[in-house]
Amino acid sequence: MQLTLNQIDKSFGAKKVLRGISLSAEGGKAFGLLGRNGAGKTTTIRILMNVFSADKGEVLFDGKPIDYTKIKFGYLPEERGLYAKRKIFEQLVFFAELNGLSHGDAVASVNRWLVRFGMTEYANKRLDTLSKGNQQKIQMITALAHNPQIIVLDEPFSGLDPVNAMLLKAVVKEEIAKGKILFLSSHQMSYIEEFCDSIAILNGGQVVLTGDIYDIKRNYPRNRLVIRSTERDAILAKYQNACKLCEDGSLLLTLASPDEKQNVMKELSESFDLDEVKVFEPTLNDIFVEYTENAI
Amino acid sequence: MMKQFRTILKFELKDFFTDKKFVGFTLILALIIAVVMFFPRFSGSISISDEPVQDMNQDLPIMLVHSANEEHGEIVKQSFQTVFFGYKVTLYSGEASDLEEKVISGEAACAFAVSGLDSYTYYVNDLSMYDSNTAHANDAMSIYAMVQSGMTYEEAARILSGAVHQEIVTLGKDQTNNFFYTYIMIMVLYMAILLYGQMVASNVASEKSSRAMELLVTSAKPVSMMFGKVIASCLAGLTQLTVIFGTAFVSFNLNRYYWDDGGIMASIFDMPLELLLYMLLFFVLGFFIYAFMYGAIGSTVSKLEDIGTSVMPITILFVAAFIVVMMALSSGEVNTPLVKACSFIPFTSPMAMFVRIVMSTVPWYEILASVVILIASVIGVGYFAAKIYRMGVLLYGNKPGFGNIIKMLRKK
């Protein structure tokens, strides 16, 4: 299974919201959709899910234009909300039926998911009697109950306590293991790094970076070293401008070229008492900030 | 698409029929109507008990009469008593100028000072809008004159009561008979459309403000959502009306015998089936056209508080239609150019054409034209409403003005 967005353009009035968005996600893997507020993530998701159509470009499923009557999406919107005054079971069955299940299948599936999330006792309560975290679990069921091939989760972990977050993580991993395509949008980079193999960073309606996280990191210039040492001052004195002190107390040494790496490391270990020396690999957070702080 | 529509319809209907307020209100209203209908059965048995009629005479309000010609005093009193059986008529033999004071002090409910065969002065505290005493007094004066010229009171009264045999052959519609139920039906049409229409608007707006819409738009087509919602509230409204009017109909017929003077009541419940079907047709079509507009407006609102001001133009349009129709109805002139025009304009025709059909004879082709225009407009409005809805539901923040809505319509 492969889902591809190809050169998607979208304007609202005079405002160009998306400019040539292209990305590709595969079954059995999670795809991270990153971007600052207003970068076009929600619009991309809505075009993906056919809430409205793109001005230009196409959405392909396994290389062919996607057939929305066959491919089902599960969606956890960032703005949560269901019917506050209706019974939980009733509305979960409603949404499952709306997404194509028969009444019997919907009831069975909702019951299964209520058990999985430990929410059975709330089935006949009104939604607004639940805590925020529990409401979120209910909302999660609306995204999963109809067994969609493609799941889009927007900030799924926000507002959950650690135990619930673990439960949800396990569920998300199960869904990925079933071979589904999972889109994960979050500002919490740790979750993206934990789940996603590939990412796309959106900025100003464009994809500014996309690919495999591991590759992205590997392809970063490997000309910086992180050094932990008891002789910080001596190292700083020796390398002067090339070396700077980081907030966490480590030193970051920038080399003229990655080729010098071996020599410098050797030199360091011979001259100073080192706790650790390694090639600097940017975190996703660093990459995100680097790609999105200026533009828009 | 059909499945989605059915699912939404079911979900929305369940919302109505499990709503304690909705069910409670319907049942209480039906109960009150049943109580009213059964009332004569029990109150009737009380009045049948034979109380002496004379005793009641004492409770009657006092009417003083004074005759300028003292010899005619008794004749005047008798003449007035013949006509005013609702009063205890008393001859006042003092000065005519005292009458005013007696009425002010409340000693008498009203007074007549008869100054001759053809003139009198009527004294009364507050002249009610419906005071018919002077009309009756004119009769009394005629009796007085006739008795004066030698007739007995009975003969005079018989002449006046005008036992002329009359027969009315109604070639068109009988307005007198139809008036009451037309009135009731128009009121029902008006209230149901306004109430349920606004309910559609606030339902849509609350789905939006609760953000359930975020999930809905990704799960269902706007057309299914719109039609599901509108048809559900139409069915709920019809059910409610059926329960209320059904209760009224059944309980009236159980007690028909006790509604002895039941002219008005009977005329309401003996409504011809044909008119009931017309009412149903115009109710459904009128309901749709307004509910679609209300739904579309509801979708452009992000906060429930804004709904009142947003639906105002539609409500004003509808109230204006109602006023035109009501004025035509109460004046009895339902075929004025204004009403005729209104009966073809889709936003006013449900009420205007209905009134014309009930209160006058409308050629079949005019009815057909009006219904066809209405159906076409319902489809058109439904289509545009779904379009606005589609755009509106995803718009948060400032509510779009009229211009923006037009722009939305023009966009694909």
Side-chain angles (χ1 to χ4, degrees):
Chain A
M1 271 202 307
Q2 192 180 33
L3 187 80
T4 311
L5 294 190
N6 202 0
Q7 294 295 325
I8 301 281
D9 275 10
K10 180 75 187 174
S11 306
F12 291 120
K15 191 166 183 263
K16 281 203 129 196
V17 183
L18 299 183
R19 285 177 286 186
I21 296 281
S22 296
L23 49 89
S24 184
E26 270 176 54
K29 285 182 178 172
F31 188 93
L33 202 53
L34 310 182
R36 287 172 58 185
N37 309 102
K41 294 189 300 278
T42 306
T43 307
T44 307
I45 290 172
R46 282 179 177 163
I47 286 175
L48 185 67
M49 299 185 65
N50 198 28
V51 174
F52 37 66
S53 50
D55 299 340
K56 239 178 71 192
E58 51 190 354
V59 181
L60 303 173
F61 188 80
D62 285 342
K64 288 182 290 256
I66 186 166
D67 179 357
Y68 286 102
T69 57
K70 296 215 178 79
I71 307 299
K72 294 289 165 213
F73 284 82
Y75 181 38
L76 179 77
E78 187 185 3
E79 300 266 13
R80 318 268 197 258
L82 294 169
Y83 294 95
K85 305 286 176 201
R86 303 292 293 265
K87 281 182 186 160
I88 284 163
F89 187 74
E90 216 171 81
Q91 50 183 318
L92 286 177
V93 170
F94 167 65
F95 279 108
E97 281 187 61
L98 213 49
N99 281 301
L101 291 195
S102 70
H103 185 73
D105 289 349
V107 169
S109 174
V110 166
N111 276 325
R112 241 188 348 263
W113 279 108
L114 284 171
V115 172
R116 179 73 178 91
F117 279 107
M119 299 294 287
T120 323
E121 55 180 308
Y122 302 105
N124 282 312
K125 292 233 162 66
R126 278 180 11 186
L127 184 75
D128 58 0
T129 60
L130 265 59
S131 70
K132 186 168 173 266
N134 281 340
Q135 287 193 24
Q136 178 143 336
K137 288 202 275 182
I138 296 300
Q139 183 113 27
M140 195 64 203
I141 296 178
T142 64
L144 300 172
H146 54 289
N147 196 23
Q149 294 98 320
I150 302 168
I151 302 171
V152 181
L153 305 178
D154 203 341
E155 291 290 1
F157 303 103
S158 73
L160 289 181
D161 66 50
V163 177
N164 276 329
M166 257 166 58
L167 177 62
L168 189 56
K169 275 189 204 172
V171 169
V172 171
K173 281 180 180 155
E174 281 165 27
E175 292 297 311
I176 297 172
K178 285 182 197 164
K180 299 186 173 182
I181 298 176
L182 189 113
F183 283 92
L184 185 62
S185 173
S186 178
H187 293 135
Q188 286 167 281
M189 298 301 158
S190 57
Y191 287 117
I192 299 284
E193 282 192 281
E194 184 174 348
F195 286 102
C196 299
D197 303 301
S198 310
I199 56 161
I201 297 179
L202 266 60
N203 197 29
Q206 285 174 302
V207 177
V208 288
L209 182 68
T210 185
D212 188 285
I213 294 186
Y214 181 74
D215 291 343
I216 289 173
K217 286 188 179 174
R218 295 296 297 182
N219 290 338
Y220 242 73
R222 303 180 67 77
N223 64 339
R224 282 179 287 185
L225 296 178
V226 180
I227 305 156
R228 287 182 191 280
S229 165
T230 48
E231 299 174 80
R232 275 198 317 227
D233 294 337
I235 299 173
L236 274 170
K238 176 165 186 200
Y239 293 98
Q240 300 206 343
N241 286 339
C243 189
K244 68 175 196 233
L245 183 62
C246 298
E247 276 174 19
D248 63 354
S250 63
L251 296 171
L252 186 66
L253 178 62
T254 308
L255 311 177
S257 139
D259 303 338
E260 292 177 18
K261 182 170 74 185
Q262 294 297 341
N263 290 336
V264 175
M265 278 166 98
K266 201 172 161 200
E267 183 182 302
L268 278 166
S269 59
E270 281 164 5
S271 327
F272 303 101
D273 171 28
L274 296 180
D275 294 336
E276 182 188 21
V277 59
K278 62 175 183 186
V279 176
F280 171 80
E281 273 196 352
T283 62
L284 196 52
N285 204 52
D286 297 326
I287 298 170
F288 181 82
V289 171
E290 186 186 324
Y291 274 91
T292 61
E293 73 184 334
N294 299 320
I296 286 191
Chain B
M1 183 108 149
M2 272 316 282
K3 181 175 182 296
Q4 279 185 351
F5 165 73
R6 276 202 308 275
T7 306
I8 293 170
L9 184 68
K10 205 171 69 183
F11 187 69
E12 294 287 336
L13 278 178
K14 202 166 179 183
D15 193 21
F16 277 111
F17 295 126
T18 55
D19 182 3
K20 290 193 190 85
K21 272 178 279 178
F22 177 81
V23 175
F25 173 74
T26 311
L27 291 183
I28 287 171
L29 204 60
L31 188 70
I32 290 173
I33 287 176
V35 167
V36 170
M37 290 301 164
F38 274 91
F39 189 68
R41 183 189 281 259
F42 303 112
S43 68
S45 62
I46 297 165
S47 73
I48 283 168
S49 68
D50 41 3
E51 273 181 44
V53 181
Q54 289 91 327
D55 278 359
M56 290 176 68
N57 237 359
Q58 291 181 342
D59 301 331
L60 292 177
I62 291 169
M63 172 189 284
L64 291 178
V65 291
H66 177 268
S67 172
N69 183 336
E70 283 180 26
E71 284 172 28
H72 292 171
E74 199 51 38
I75 300 174
V76 169
K77 183 203 149 186
Q78 278 299 327
S79 305
F80 273 77
Q81 188 65 76
T82 311
V83 176
F84 289 103
F85 28 79
Y87 285 94
K88 190 177 178 208
V89 181
T90 312
L91 180 67
Y92 183 70
S93 43
E95 288 299 311
S97 51
D98 298 344
L99 288 174
E100 206 175 309
E101 209 175 291
K102 299 253 178 220
V103 173
I104 291 171
S105 70
E107 233 172 278
C110 59
F112 284 92
V114 178
S115 45
L117 276 172
D118 54 2
S119 69
Y120 64 82
T121 314
Y122 176 42
Y123 298 98
V124 67
N125 250 336
D126 296 314
L127 187 61
S128 143
M129 227 167 82
Y130 303 104
D131 193 326
S132 55
N133 280 356
T134 51
H136 290 309
N138 293 347
D139 286 348
M141 291 299 284
S142 306
I143 294 177
Y144 168 39
M146 283 189 262
V147 170
Q148 193 56 35
S149 60
M151 279 186 211
T152 63
Y153 292 105
E154 286 74 30
E155 283 168 338
R158 203 177 310 129
I159 290 170
L160 271 181
S161 72
V164 178
H165 180 71
Q166 62 168 12
E167 198 172 323
I168 302 174
V169 180
T170 314
L171 300 171
K173 295 285 167 64
D174 185 355
Q175 290 200 347
T176 50
N177 241 342
N178 295 1
F179 180 78
F180 289 102
Y181 60 73
T182 313
Y183 197 88
I184 290 176
M185 282 169 137
I186 293 291
M187 284 304 276
V188 168
L189 211 59
Y190 172 73
M191 289 200 302
I193 289 177
L194 214 55
L195 264 169
Y196 279 92
Q198 298 201 351
M199 216 184 282
V200 170
S202 60
N203 270 350
V204 173
S206 73
E207 268 173 5
K208 217 179 136 182
S209 71
S210 76
R211 307 281 166 155
M213 196 56 95
E214 296 275 327
L215 201 57
L216 273 175
V217 288
T218 59
S219 311
K221 290 275 151 224
V223 178
S224 308
M225 291 199 269
M226 190 85 175
F227 275 74
K229 219 174 254 311
V230 167
I231 291 173
S233 46
C234 183
L235 288 178
L238 280 178
T239 312
Q240 190 172 39
L241 292 179
T242 310
V243 169
I244 290 169
F245 280 90
T247 310
F249 183 76
V250 170
S251 49
F252 173 74
N253 277 316
L254 285 177
N255 299 290
R256 182 179 277 265
Y257 169 75
Y258 297 94
W259 286 89
D260 40 0
D261 78 326
I264 295 174
M265 275 300 184
S267 91
I268 294 172
F269 289 106
D270 291 342
M271 182 189 320
L273 180 68
E274 178 201 344
L275 291 184
L276 200 64
L277 292 179
Y278 271 124
M279 158 124 179
L280 195 66
L281 176 72
F282 283 114
F283 173 80
V284 170
L285 292 177
F287 183 86
F288 277 168
I289 207 165
Y290 278 96
F292 280 138
M293 289 197 291
Y294 275 117
I297 294 288
S299 74
T300 63
V301 175
S302 333
K303 283 177 291 180
L304 271 177
E305 305 92 274
D306 292 339
I307 206 127
T309 47
S310 293
V311 299
M312 190 100 84
I314 298 175
T315 307
I316 287 174
L317 176 69
F318 188 60
V319 170
F322 175 70
I323 289 172
V324 167
V325 171
M326 268 318 205
M327 277 170 52
L329 182 61
S330 56
S331 72
E333 288 172 25
V334 295
N335 276 322
T336 57
L338 178 64
V339 182
K340 266 192 175 166
C342 284
S343 68
F344 292 102
I345 300 170
F347 301 109
T348 50
S349 64
M351 286 191 293
M353 191 42 108
F354 179 67
V355 162
R356 281 186 65 206
I357 291 174
V358 184
M359 301 293 278
S360 71
T361 308
V362 186
W364 63 269
Y365 53 85
E366 286 195 14
I367 300 179
L368 185 68
S370 168
V371 171
V372 167
I373 293 174
L374 192 53
I375 291 175
S377 313
V378 167
I379 295 170
V381 169
Y383 172 76
F384 285 117
K387 248 181 158 182
I388 296 178
Y389 187 87
R390 212 175 108 103
M391 304 299 292
V393 289
L394 294 171
L395 272 182
Y396 289 97
N398 288 339
K399 68 188 170 76
F402 190 68
N404 295 35
I405 291 178
I406 298 295
K407 260 191 219 155
M408 277 185 209
L409 285 180
R410 286 169 54 186
K411 259 182 34 187
K412 203 187 82 179

